[in-house]
């Protein structure tokens, strides 16, 4: 009898779900990613389901490893040169986190426009102070950097507010859900009419520090900036400077160049900024959606069918 392919999980998805995978023809093992120190991953592992054990696990020693399924959307933690050399297929979690992140984007936009942080602070201090610097979302011009699943989910929900939505991608190809799509090369021409700029673009050499002093200076006065992509997309010092100048209405950031954000980072004390700890992807449905992606790809892999959400490291996503 032929040996079953071994799939190793570094996150627990429950005995019932592991049993479903076993019924597809796999041997299943679970090793807690937080407790991995070096050699816990068996040498006969064929499929690895993980986030980032790569600083402790040398995949070069896993000679039978053929497929890595990341539980994350981001891929920068993966050792691409070793993966490329070994010919390993890598997939990410696809659109498993798009809905909670889309809801986070809308929440942050409304909080910035309605000065919710000020209202909350006044409430805690029992201050009754009418705020007339409140803005409506209706009629705003929103630009999404990136037109992937997160941007599509957010755009579809934002349309109910009566906004104009532009999507920016590499080629300017049309994507359903946006009023128009333009290429990244056209961004500078579009920013002067932008009320809300949302970064949902992959981290690549092309997008590193894309949001900088020049970019932010082109925005409308009192524009808002939202970042749920990667910290590398933003020059944080330039963003801080623009907030201090009062050029921007505010910013909401869920991702940072250094995570966790250092306690002495000036971002914590900046006015008109909302900080969340890379938390936008989490929800009560997150775990089930990620498992659905994993299970679908494991079924395809063992059947010899094409995998979903495979990564192109040359493109960076």
């Amino acid at each position: 009898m032929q040996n079953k392919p071994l799939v190793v999980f570094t996150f627990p998805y429950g005995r019932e779900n592991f049993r479903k995978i076993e019924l597809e023809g796999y041997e299943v093992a679970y090793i807690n990613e937080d407790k991995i120190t070096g050699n816990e991953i068996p040498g006969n592992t064929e499929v690895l389901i993980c986030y980032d054990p790569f600083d402790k696990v040398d995949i070069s020693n896993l000679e039978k490893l053929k497929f890595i399924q990341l539980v994350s959307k981001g891929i920068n933690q993966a050792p691409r040169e070793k993966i490329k050399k070994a010919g390993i297929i890598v997939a990410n979690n696809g659109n498993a986190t798009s809905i909670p992140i889309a809801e986070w984007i809308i929440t942050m936009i409304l909080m910035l426009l309605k000065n919710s942080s000020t209202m909350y602070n006044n409430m805690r201090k029992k201050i009754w102070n009418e705020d007339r610097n409140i803005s409506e979302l209706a009629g705003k011009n929103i630009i999404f950097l990136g037109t992937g699943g997160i941007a599509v989910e957010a755009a579809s929900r934002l349309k109910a507010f009566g906004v104009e939505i532009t999507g920016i991608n590499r080629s300017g190809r049309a994507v359903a859900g946006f009023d128009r799509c333009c290429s990244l090369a056209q961004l500078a021409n579009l920013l002067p009419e932008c009320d809300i700029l949302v970064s949902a673009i992959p981290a690549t050499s092309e997008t590193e520090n894309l949001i900088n002093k020049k970019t932010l200076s082109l925005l409308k006065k009192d524009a808002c900036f939202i970042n749920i992509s990667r910290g590398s997309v933003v020059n944080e010092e330039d963003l801080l400077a623009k907030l201090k100048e009062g050029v921007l209405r505010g910013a909401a950031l869920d991702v940072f160049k250094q995570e966790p954000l250092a306690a002495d980072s000036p971002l914590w004390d900046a006015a008109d900024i909302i900080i969340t700890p890379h938390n936008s992807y989490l929800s009560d449905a997150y775990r089930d959606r990620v498992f659905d992606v994993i299970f679908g790809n494991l079924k395809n892999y063992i059947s010899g069918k094409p995998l979903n959400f495979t990564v192109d490291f040359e493109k960076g996503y």
Side-chain angles (χ1 to χ4, degrees), residues 163-179:
V163 297
E164 184 79 11
I165 304 179
T166 300
I168 301 289
N169 52 47
R170 277 184 168 181
S171 63
R173 72 187 186 284
V175 177
F178 299 90
D179 294 299

Side-chain angles (χ1 to χ4, degrees), residues 67-136:
F67 170 38
I68 296 174
Q69 171 69 64
L70 299 173
V71 299
S72 61
K73 181 78 170 179
I75 63 170
N76 289 346
Q77 72 274 28
R80 60 188 65 196
E81 292 305 320
K82 291 181 179 180
I83 286 168
K84 185 177 179 180
K85 183 177 181 180
I88 297 168
I89 301 169
V90 178
N92 65 15
N93 73 16
N95 296 321
T97 59
S98 295
I99 289 176
I101 296 177
E103 292 180 353
W104 183 93
I105 289 169
I106 295 168
T107 300
M108 294 301 116
I109 290 173
L110 289 170
M111 285 182 70
L112 291 171
L113 295 180
K114 306 303 180 185
N115 291 342
S116 295
S117 295
T118 299
M119 292 289 188
Y120 178 80
N121 290 333
N122 285 346
M123 179 188 74
R124 301 315 306 167
K125 297 173 183 177
K126 301 179 182 178
I127 296 173
W128 185 278
N129 186 22
E130 187 178 72
D131 187 347
R132 295 185 176 273
N133 186 30
I134 302 296
S135 186
E136 293 184 2

Side-chain angles (χ1 to χ4, degrees), residues 10-11 13 33 48-54 67-78 90-98 101 150 229-230 278 281-282 286-287 289-291 293-294 297 308-311 313 316-317:
T10 65
F11 290 91
Y13 284 91
E33 186 164 307
L48 179 60
I49 315 292
C50 63
Y51 170 60
D52 184 15
F54 304 112
F67 170 38
I68 296 174
Q69 171 69 64
L70 299 173
V71 299
S72 61
K73 181 78 170 179
I75 63 170
N76 289 346
Q77 72 274 28
V90 178
N92 65 15
N93 73 16
N95 296 321
T97 59
S98 295
I101 296 177
I150 292 169
S229 54
R230 286 293 178 265
H278 206 140
Y281 70 98
L282 291 171
Y286 162 75
R287 187 185 185 86
R289 286 204 190 95
V290 173
F291 181 78
V293 171
I294 294 168
N297 264 347
N308 299 315
F309 313 118
T310 54
V311 168
F313 282 107
Y317 54 88

Side-chain angles (χ1 to χ4, degrees), residues 4 18 71 88 92 117 137 151 153 169 180 222 235 240 242 247 272:
K4 294 180 179 181
F18 284 166
V71 299
I88 297 168
N92 65 15
S117 295
L137 179 51
E153 292 288 353
N169 52 47
R180 61 175 173 171
D222 290 334
N235 184 311
L240 273 169
K242 288 300 175 185
V247 174
D272 305 316

Side-chain angles (χ1 to χ4, degrees), residues 21-255:
I21 293 167
E22 289 171 344
L23 291 173
E24 292 297 323
Y26 289 95
E27 179 185 352
V28 177
Y30 163 61
I31 301 168
N32 188 323
E33 186 164 307
D34 291 335
K35 296 182 179 179
I36 292 174
T37 58
N39 299 314
E40 290 86 352
I41 306 296
N44 62 331
T45 300
E46 188 167 332
V47 182
L48 179 60
I49 315 292
C50 63
Y51 170 60
D52 184 15
F54 304 112
D55 59 338
K56 294 167 285 189
V57 176
D58 185 353
I59 63 170
S60 302
N61 297 328
L62 303 177
E63 296 181 358
K64 292 192 175 182
L65 185 62
K66 299 291 189 295
F67 170 38
I68 296 174
Q69 171 69 64
L70 299 173
V71 299
S72 61
K73 181 78 170 179
I75 63 170
N76 289 346
Q77 72 274 28
R80 60 188 65 196
E81 292 305 320
K82 291 181 179 180
I83 286 168
K84 185 177 179 180
K85 183 177 181 180
I88 297 168
I89 301 169
V90 178
N92 65 15
N93 73 16
N95 296 321
T97 59
S98 295
I99 289 176
I101 296 177
E103 292 180 353
W104 183 93
I105 289 169
I106 295 168
T107 300
M108 294 301 116
I109 290 173
L110 289 170
M111 285 182 70
L112 291 171
L113 295 180
K114 306 303 180 185
N115 291 342
S116 295
S117 295
T118 299
M119 292 289 188
Y120 178 80
N121 290 333
N122 285 346
M123 179 188 74
R124 301 315 306 167
K125 297 173 183 177
K126 301 179 182 178
I127 296 173
W128 185 278
N129 186 22
E130 187 178 72
D131 187 347
R132 295 185 176 273
N133 186 30
I134 302 296
S135 186
E136 293 184 2
L137 179 51
K140 293 292 189 288
N141 187 306
I142 302 175
I143 292 179
F144 276 88
L145 296 173
T147 55
I150 292 169
V152 168
E153 292 288 353
S156 69
R157 289 159 173 77
L158 283 165
K159 287 304 294 180
F161 289 90
V163 297
E164 184 79 11
I165 304 179
T166 300
I168 301 289
N169 52 47
R170 277 184 168 181
S171 63
R173 72 187 186 284
V175 177
F178 299 90
D179 294 299
R180 61 175 173 171
C181 286
C182 302
S183 70
L184 189 57
Q186 297 172 276
L187 179 61
N189 296 327
L190 298 169
L191 289 175
E193 59 189 71
C194 177
D195 295 296
I196 301 164
L197 179 62
V198 182
S199 179
I201 203 165
T204 67
S205 57
E206 188 179 11
T207 63
E208 186 172 359
N209 287 322
L210 176 64
I211 305 303
N212 53 41
K213 181 178 180 180
K214 180 179 178 181
T215 308
L216 295 168
S217 296
L218 292 171
L219 287 168
K220 272 185 180 180
K221 182 175 171 54
D222 290 334
C224 297
F225 173 65
I226 312 286
N227 189 20
I228 54 83
S229 54
R230 286 293 178 265
S232 63
V233 174
V234 181
N235 184 311
E236 293 173 352
E237 291 76 18
D238 288 355
L239 176 60
L240 273 169
K242 288 300 175 185
L243 287 167
K244 288 178 180 178
E245 290 173 17
V247 174
L248 300 178
R249 182 183 185 94
L253 310 176
D254 188 54
V255 290

